[in-house]
Amino acid sequence: MTDDRPPAVRPGGAFGALARDGLTHVELTWIEKKLEHWIRFGRIADDRILTRRTRVVGFRPGAVFAFVRWASNDFGTIVSRIDVVRAVAANEPYTTLPFVRPGGDILLKIEGWPKVQQVLAAIDAVETAAVDPCDAAPDHWRHVHQRITAGHQPRLYTAERHTAWLKRREIEG
């Protein structure tokens, strides 16, 4: 007998039917002014709508993406967080992260709306340098994490820095 139930109600939850395709899956939920999960940047390889408010997106191994989570209740914001994550291959070690299966290489993890806004501004600055944030050096996102965590401004990601990163990646093979 086949299971005709949609993936969201099969055993294993929303990720059960998607686990075997080699992608990193992120569950996105949007309940206006209550719970909002979205991707700020990233090259989505697979996109499946589960319900009116929920979908699951997939990223290929090595892809870098930013995952924003925000939630509130009657008294205000209760969760505000951004993570910049590199999707991992099946044989790579990873760190678990809520709503991300199996997990990923976390390059940046920031909590609290004022700091999240700083990260969003850093992402905008990368785009201003005419670089897709997905292609920026992973070390830049680690740098942004460390500087914001320490209460300092991160250095700008410039076209020159990006060119240096591309040359370093080429040499390292």
Side-chain angles (χ1 to χ4, degrees):
M1 179 168 13
T2 61
D3 191 352
D4 293 329
R5 293 177 291 175
V9 294
R10 287 186 193 146
F15 294 107
L18 303 170
R20 294 172 295 278
D21 62 6
L23 301 177
T24 295
H25 295 103
V26 182
E27 183 177 349
L28 305 176
T29 304
W30 190 273
I31 302 171
E32 191 73 32
K33 298 181 182 175
K34 289 290 180 190
L35 179 67
E36 300 174 3
H37 296 173
W38 73 92
I39 299 296
R40 170 56 180 86
F41 68 80
R43 291 189 184 98
I44 296 172
D46 185 47
D47 191 351
R48 297 187 189 192
I49 297 171
L50 302 180
T51 68
R52 239 182 68 217
R53 296 179 171 166
T54 307
R55 67 187 183 129
V56 176
V57 295
F59 295 92
R60 289 188 175 86
V64 176
F65 61 92
F67 178 40
V68 183
R69 291 183 281 154
W70 177 88
S72 72
N73 62 18
D74 293 338
F75 303 103
T77 298
I78 55 174
V79 172
S80 184
R81 179 174 174 158
I82 187 168
D83 298 280
V84 175
V85 181
R86 184 183 62 81
V88 295
N91 59 347
E92 286 185 84
Y94 58 85
T95 304
T96 59
L97 187 64
F99 308 102
V100 178
R101 299 289 182 273
D105 179 15
I106 300 173
L107 306 175
L108 175 146
K109 177 177 86 170
I110 295 290
E111 295 184 37
W113 187 244
K115 290 182 179 182
V116 168
Q117 285 180 310
Q118 287 181 286
V119 174
L120 294 172
I123 293 168
D124 291 342
V126 170
E127 292 172 335
T128 300
V131 175
D132 187 331
C134 306
D135 298 327
D139 289 343
H140 175 69
W141 300 119
R142 291 182 183 104
H143 162 78
V144 171
H145 167 86
Q146 295 298 332
R147 297 290 290 189
I148 290 175
T149 300
H152 299 288
Q153 279 296 113
R155 288 187 298 271
L156 291 177
Y157 193 77
T158 62
E160 293 80 18
R161 284 181 191 265
H162 187 64
T163 301
W165 153 244
L166 294 175
K167 288 181 180 181
R168 186 175 90 202
R169 188 173 65 177
E170 184 181 311
I171 291 170
E172 291 175 352

